Amino acid sequence: MRLFIDTSKTFQTMSGFGISGAWWAQSVGGWSSVCPNNTPVRDKIAGLLFNKTSGIGIDTFRYNLGSGSAESGRGTFSDPLRRAQSFYTPNGLDFSKDEESVYMMKAAVREGAQELVFFVNSPLEEFTINGLGHTDKSRTGKTNIKKSNIPAFAKYCADVAEHFIKEGLPVKYISPVNEPLWVWNGGQEGCHYSPIRCRYVMKEFAREIKKRPALKNVKLSGLENGDIRWFNKSYTRALLGNSEIRGMVDSVDVHSYFLNDSLPFFGNRPAYLRRFRKWMDKNYPGVPIKVSEWCHMQGGKNAYMDSALVQARVMLEDLTILCASSFQGWIACSPYDYCDGLLYIDPKTQSFEMTKRYYAFGNFSKFIPRGAVRIAAKTDDGDIMTAAFKTEDKLIFIILNPSDKEKELRLRFGGEIYVTDAENDLTRYGFNIGETVKINSFSVNTVLINLENAKAL
């Protein structure tokens, strides 16, 4: 197998890899147990996720700015961890609340995260029409916040962001709307919005942020539509079709849910990515697309390579077809009997379990830095998926081999390869100039080459 690259043909500039603190940080952040080396488990997990040396170097942490359902106990939720606290009190904001989640946010920054995104699933219960952190059947398909409460909603989120910025935390984005297409009649916090109502919300937030000097480096992100197939154009027009909003956003953020299925046309995931990318290039050229949420939505706990290969394929499709400048996964730590999370956690024993998804995510997040530029790359083997990036001093190749056949990669220069497969967990192997590199079956691989060693290119 040969690898062909064209360093002169460039695409998106990368702005990092991220993960959400929803549904686990409020548990893990309070764990007092310690690992065998006396490191608190919560700090060990933070290091595994965000440290570039001892972990996989995730550099964006998405903090869930909750509606207050955890305190009120109101609403219908499938699991207590899907509730979230707020900082609101009738007498003002109380930043001693949500202590555990805030601990994990600060631990992420301490370990190396460079960017915080404050995302909202539902406005504060105090601002919603039904007094809940989700809609109910009487308001199915309707927005659950009064128009008159939207300025107060924007002020609350800006107040919270300003507080943590003054504490020295790198809050870079506020995302007030999450998956607006869905109904959200219960199960978790959520709020439906039409595209027009999204525009109104984002305008209010843009005005609130713009008038605050302390938030001069904060942007809006959105609109985080929940399925790569449906209504992305409608929500993108609502986001970018207004000059006030457009001046406060530097990307379109989408969720990349949906896997290929057997339906012709409607089951072709790459085709949806291509169409949206083509539409963006025509209507909003130069505006980056970020994937701000994805997980392998499949029932049953799965810590193995089959799920890691699915994740890696989606990441490569999003990076090479959608030209996503950032890929952010959903929950970092899963307590569920479900195929999600980079780690599995057990709140009862305050313990965690590694997954192959963790290591495969690290094949990207640990080695592709902010500022890396994607370049043209392909192989002459139809089984292989690949993407290539360059920095000032390195070439970085992601090579996915989802087949049951071992491959041999011929390179004209030396370097190192990091392998994740059934037997390897980001295991490093070196190779010399002219040496054939083995690409194992069912594997995710990162090849690093110093540009000094690749002058022949």
Side-chain angles (χ1 to χ4, degrees):
M1 175 179 70
R2 291 182 296 172
L3 176 63
F4 303 94
I5 64 171
D6 183 350
T7 57
S8 67
K9 190 172 184 180
T10 60
F11 301 95
Q12 75 270 31
T13 299
M14 296 302 299
S15 56
F17 294 84
I19 204 72
S20 161
W23 302 357
W24 65 273
Q26 69 268 48
S27 174
V28 172
W31 288 5
S32 58
S33 59
V34 297
C35 298
N37 64 355
N38 288 325
T39 300
V41 174
R42 60 185 182 177
D43 295 333
K44 176 67 173 179
I45 288 174
L48 286 170
L49 294 170
F50 300 102
N51 191 285
K52 204 77 170 179
T53 302
S54 61
I56 57 173
I58 294 173
D59 55 11
T60 295
F61 181 86
R62 294 175 58 80
Y63 174 77
N64 182 18
L65 195 53
S67 77
S69 62
E71 297 141 288
S72 74
R74 295 192 294 266
T76 303
F77 289 81
S78 58
D79 182 88
L81 286 175
R82 296 191 177 201
R83 296 180 178 273
Q85 294 186 45
S86 77
F87 300 106
Y88 176 85
T89 75
N91 299 316
L93 302 188
D94 179 359
F95 288 103
S96 69
K97 295 167 67 177
D98 204 21
E99 179 181 4
E100 294 80 9
S101 294
V102 170
Y103 182 92
M104 292 310 299
M105 173 173 65
K106 291 181 176 180
V109 173
R110 184 176 66 245
E111 292 292 342
Q114 303 173 50
E115 176 180 280
L116 299 177
V117 180
F118 284 6
F119 77 98
V120 177
N121 286 325
S122 165
L124 288 173
E125 289 181 330
E126 288 75 12
F127 299 154
T128 62
I129 292 171
N130 64 0
L132 303 177
H134 58 71
T135 316
D136 53 45
K137 291 183 179 179
S138 68
R139 296 194 54 78
T140 296
K142 298 179 181 179
T143 301
N144 194 28
I145 181 172
K146 292 180 181 179
K147 195 173 182 179
S148 60
N149 282 342
I150 292 174
F153 174 33
K155 181 181 182 304
Y156 167 75
C157 293
D159 285 344
V160 174
E162 190 166 323
H163 168 83
F164 286 110
I165 287 171
K166 288 178 178 177
E167 285 197 348
L169 296 183
V171 182
K172 301 298 183 183
Y173 294 94
I174 298 174
S175 176
V177 174
N178 185 69
E179 298 192 340
L181 179 62
W182 307 137
V183 172
W184 299 121
N185 278 344
Q188 67 180 76
E189 294 186 351
C191 187
H192 171 80
Y193 298 91
S194 68
I196 296 301
R197 187 52 60 93
C198 282
R199 175 174 287 181
Y200 188 88
V201 169
M202 298 299 275
K203 280 174 63 176
E204 289 295 333
F205 270 77
R207 292 167 180 170
E208 185 66 38
I209 292 172
K210 193 171 182 179
K211 70 186 182 183
R212 297 185 181 223
L215 302 186
K216 64 181 180 180
N217 295 321
V218 173
K219 295 284 189 180
L220 287 172
S221 67
L223 286 164
E224 307 215 41
N225 197 28
D227 191 311
I228 199 63
R229 293 170 292 181
W230 316 125
F231 294 96
N232 283 297
K233 294 177 184 178
S234 299
Y235 284 103
T236 299
R237 288 191 194 99
L239 182 74
L240 299 179
N242 177 272
S243 59
E244 281 188 273
I245 301 170
R246 185 139 182 199
M248 292 299 297
V249 298
D250 58 13
S251 66
V252 173
D253 291 46
V254 299
H255 292 179
S256 197
Y257 292 111
F258 165 61
L259 296 174
N260 292 326
D261 59 37
S262 58
L263 290 173
F265 184 79
F266 292 106
N268 188 335
R269 185 178 190 277
Y272 283 97
L273 300 178
R274 289 190 189 95
R275 285 194 290 273
F276 187 49
R277 178 73 261 175
K278 184 177 180 181
W279 182 83
M280 282 291 295
D281 289 341
K282 178 181 178 181
N283 293 278
Y284 303 104
V287 177
I289 298 174
K290 294 179 181 178
V291 171
S292 55
E293 189 175 314
W294 184 86
C295 74
H296 186 184
M297 293 184 69
Q298 178 176 292
K301 188 175 179 180
N302 186 330
Y304 306 112
M305 274 308 297
D306 56 336
S307 178
L309 293 171
V310 170
Q311 175 187 267
R313 176 176 61 79
V314 167
M315 293 177 77
L316 281 170
E317 288 176 349
D318 289 356
L319 293 175
T320 61
I321 301 174
L322 193 60
C323 293
S325 62
S326 176
F327 187 97
Q328 299 162 20
W330 181 221
I331 58 176
C333 302
S334 174
Y336 303 114
D337 184 22
Y338 199 71
C339 195
D340 65 351
L342 301 182
L343 306 174
Y344 281 117
I345 57 172
D346 184 345
K348 292 181 180 178
T349 61
Q350 297 191 0
S351 60
F352 65 91
E353 173 189 348
M354 310 299 291
T355 75
K356 291 294 182 177
R357 282 189 301 275
Y358 166 85
Y359 295 106
F361 199 95
N363 277 98
F364 295 79
S365 60
K366 191 175 178 72
F367 302 106
I368 304 173
R370 288 173 180 266
V373 176
R374 188 170 71 85
I375 58 176
K378 63 179 181 179
T379 73
D380 57 2
D381 188 317
D383 290 336
I384 300 296
M385 291 182 66
T386 189
F389 304 84
K390 67 176 181 180
T391 65
E392 290 184 358
D393 61 349
K394 277 190 174 61
L395 291 176
I396 305 151
F397 306 100
I398 307 294
I399 300 173
L400 170 63
N401 181 8
S403 76
D404 60 358
K405 299 179 178 63
E406 181 184 294
K407 309 288 183 174
E408 290 186 344
L409 177 63
R410 299 173 185 173
L411 295 170
R412 299 195 307 271
F413 27 74
E416 52 189 346
I417 182 171
Y418 292 81
V419 181
T420 299
D421 61 13
E423 285 77 39
N424 291 281
D425 298 327
L426 280 176
T427 306
R428 179 194 177 278
Y429 299 93
F431 56 89
N432 298 314
I433 296 174
E435 187 176 345
T436 298
V437 180
K438 184 171 69 173
I439 305 297
N440 295 342
S441 61
F442 304 123
S443 68
V444 186
N445 308 269
T446 306
V447 176
L448 303 180
I449 296 169
N450 289 327
L451 282 175
E452 189 67 26
N453 299 331
K455 288 181 178 179
L457 293 173

